[in-house]
Each structure stands twice: as structure tokens, then as C-alpha cells.
Amino acid sequence: MNNQKHVRALLAFLLIVSTILACNRLTGTPDVTALPPTTKPESTSTAKAVESAEPKDPLAGSSGLGDSLFPEFGNGGYDVQHYTLDITVNDVSTSDLTGTTTITAKATQDLSSFNLDFIGFEISSITINEQPADFERDGQELTITPSTQLQENESFTVTVQYSGSPDNFISQSLPFQTGWVTFDGGSFVLSEPDGAASFYPVNDHPLDKSFFTFRVTVPEPFEVAANGVLTETIDNGATNTFLFEARDPMASYLATINIDEFDIETMESDGGLPIRNYYATGLPASVRKPFARQGEMLTYFSELFGPYPFEVYGSLVLDIEVGAALENQTMSIYGIDMIDPNDVAGTESVVAHELSHQWFGDSISVADWKYIWLNEGFATYSSGLWIEHTDGRAALDEWIKSIYGSVAANSEHFTPPGKPTANQLFNGGVYFRGALTLHALRLEVGDEAFFEILRTYHEQYKGSNATTEDFIAVAEKVTGKDLQELFDNWLYSEEIPPLPE
Ligand code: TRP
Ligand code: ZN
């Protein structure tokens, strides 16, 4: 029976998520639960600056954006408009590369200096508006001092030239390697939430969304897959240059560059949206099956959530076990262990999850990492919406029941979705109780109002950032109801509330 199949798929997905949380496949680092928390909320970057002997220059941009879980992520005093990542990989087996990142930004205050986040590499030069600039490095913080002070509202260009192989980087929030990962035969990039700085200098917080250009040169026979539209491929003889343009605002952690040999599959949604899927060569044709209905998913979710927010979509399947998938903007990436060709419906749940993130997570970014349920709860519920679309409402109800049962039976493992901690950012509670929160809302307000809420929320916050309060305000505006208590119970109470009838 179909329902049973979905329940099995759900349990498999639960297992994957708990695997993400409990162990690590890539690097052999210790279980994160055995480590002390890496970020103490009270140790803000400002506090650190006050503790240090040097008095803080009042015109120095701050070294963090004040995120409540990760106060040191990102930097203050400027706003990036565009990153151009110009990367030449000299040796794919080590990812030895030379890179030039060019950033156009606007000062939001007078700046005597400002910071970027950047890990590893040797920096050979930094210029601001083509003038050499001084710089200092302290861990992940790269402090740049322009030769002349920048004025509030001034637009400026920073160029950072660097070389070396990306460092292995373990996320503060997940017990495995994030950022640029080199494997035997290629490399991939999965950065949520803090891996971006492992391959380019960046204002690494979703509050600073920007456009991206990728110009990546690799030796024959390798190919490159990055976000956005492939606008040009240049044959240089022994190497090829791939130019990708991501022409919609994008959070820094969603930027991805993947190097491998690929079989490329192209198709279109009914609405004419181009889809390009990248499969690592050598994978059997059967791995493509769960991706065949992405066009239908795009059409269906566009009806439910509003128009698809970008100009292209597609998936990339690695021939390596990652234990996860990630919703990189316009190009979701899957470890091969996320695909089960013998369980197409189950794998489609994961495909629908990543695809729906394009609206919830990518187009609408969190304003603070503590709002992560706005990404994961929505994407998890979208799997249920896909099940409802393919198998009917009874199948959705069955799926909801099994999630509710799992969460209720293991409540000590599931954090309330509205208050994750830094090292439990991707706790199963954020996913499953987050999805149940949306279902509870739907039962409370009815289908018509519920989908009106989702569409209004996306319409209002697309290309931008949102908070939980923003979402609640939309829900209350659309329905004219006071929904505070429902959200308080579902998002913050230790006990999981009963589902409304
Ligand atoms: N956002 C991913 C999801 O769809 C989970 C995730 C977070 C992840 N950080 C990651 C996956 C880093 C791979 C690598 O559930
Ligand atoms: Zn997700």
C-alpha cells in the first residue's frame, strides 16, 4: 500500500537526519554531542573587542553581524552587491587553486577598516578601488584597511587574490565537513551554515544577499557546475573555463562550485522553466528516476507558493556518500546515499524537500539562524504536500500521524523548532515539529487561508529576509485571527501540543 511506502520513506529520512546529527561520514571527526558547544551566545565579537587590550576604532566595521546563535558570522559596516569568483583549479586531486574574488559593496557607515570571513589560503594581494590595502588575519576574520577611509554610502570594489588548497573545515553546527570538499576524482561545495569562507572571502551571513558570477577554469576532462545559468564555456586548450551567472539575490552559504565529470540531463517544466540535472558520470541511469517529476513539482509548488523565484533549477548527484542533500540556489546537491532507485516515491520526498527550499530558505532567507524552522519546517512539510498531490489527503494524514508519533515518542531528542541551539541547528525537531507546526496552522485556519498565507508570505519576503514574527504577522493579517498562542505552543513549548481537530 502506498501509505506504508511513504511511512517507510519518512522513517528512512528520519534516519538520515539523525545520521546527520549523530555521526559523520566524511572526516571522522568526533560526535558533536560529545563536544562542548562551540559558540557561547554571550561571547559576542563586541565583547571580545572590549576584552582585548587595543581600543576599538569607532570607524572599524564590526567583525560580526550579531546573529543570536553565531554572533561572529558575517561583518558589519557594508553591504555586498556582487561577488565575482574567478578560480583556476590547477590540480583537481588536491584542489590546488589560484583565486581572485572581486566584491562590489556599499559602505553603510564611514569605514576606517572592515572585515571579511575567510579561512585558509595564502593571500597575495588585496586592493580597494584598485589601490593596495593593508590586511590582517585572525582565525576566520580578515581585516582590511583601505588607504583612504570609505565614506558612508560610498560604493567600492575589493579584490582579493589568493592561492592554495581549501582547508578542511568542520561546521560549528553540524558534525561534518562543510564548504569546499575535495574527494578522489573531484570536489563539491556544501556550505550551510558556515562553510562559504572556506573557498572565498565573504560577508558570511544570509542577511547580506548578493548576485554572483563564477568564472572557473579546470583541466580537461573536468567540468564545473555552479549556481545560475551557464552563459559561456571557453576552450583554452588543456583547460576549459565555465562561466555561471546567478542573477538573483543569493545568501552566501548557497554558493556552490562542483568539479567532476558529469552527464547532463535537460528538461523543462510545463511553464517552460529550464531544468538541468548533473549526474556524476558512472552513476547508473536508475538514479535519474526520482528526478523525473521535478518539472511537475515546480508547477505544483508554483501554484501553492507563488511563481518559482529563479530562472533555472536542477539537481546534482555526487558519486560519493555525503549523508545529506543541500538546497543550493538553483542547484540542489545530493550525496548518492540520499538516492534509492528502488524507492522512487521515498526519494521524491527528499527531492521535493530540496526543491521547495528554493522558495523557503533560498528566495526567503532567515534573518537570524535561530529562525531555521522557516527553512526546514517548510521544506519538510512540502514533502507532505507532494505526497498529498500524488497519493491524496489520506496519505498526507497518515504521514503526519507517523511524524507526530515519532516526535512524541522521542521528545527528548527533538528541540522545540523555534529555539534551536548553535550545535543543534539542524535538530530533527526543527524539521519534523516545524512541519507539524504548519500542519497545525492549516488545520486551524483551513486550506484556503493556509495557502493564501504561504503565497502572501513568499510574495512579501521573496529575495529578502524574514523572521518568525514576520510569518506570524502574515498569518494573522490573512486570517484576521490571533494565532500567537498556537505558534507559541508549537514553536517554543517543551511538550509537543496536540494537533487541532
Ligand atoms: N539544509 C539541508 C537540508 O535540506 C541540511 C544541511 C544543513 C546540510 N547543512 C548542510 C546538508 C551541509 C549538507 C551539508 O535539510
Ligand atoms: Zn532542508
Side-chain angles (χ1 to χ4, degrees), residues 248-265:
D248 292 291
M250 179 162 83
S252 49
Y253 75 90
L254 295 169
T256 190
I257 296 174
N258 303 277
I259 300 170
D260 203 338
E261 290 175 70
F262 299 107
D263 296 323
I264 299 169
E265 172 189 45

Side-chain angles (χ1 to χ4, degrees), residues 115 146 282 361 396:
N115 281 19
L396 171 71

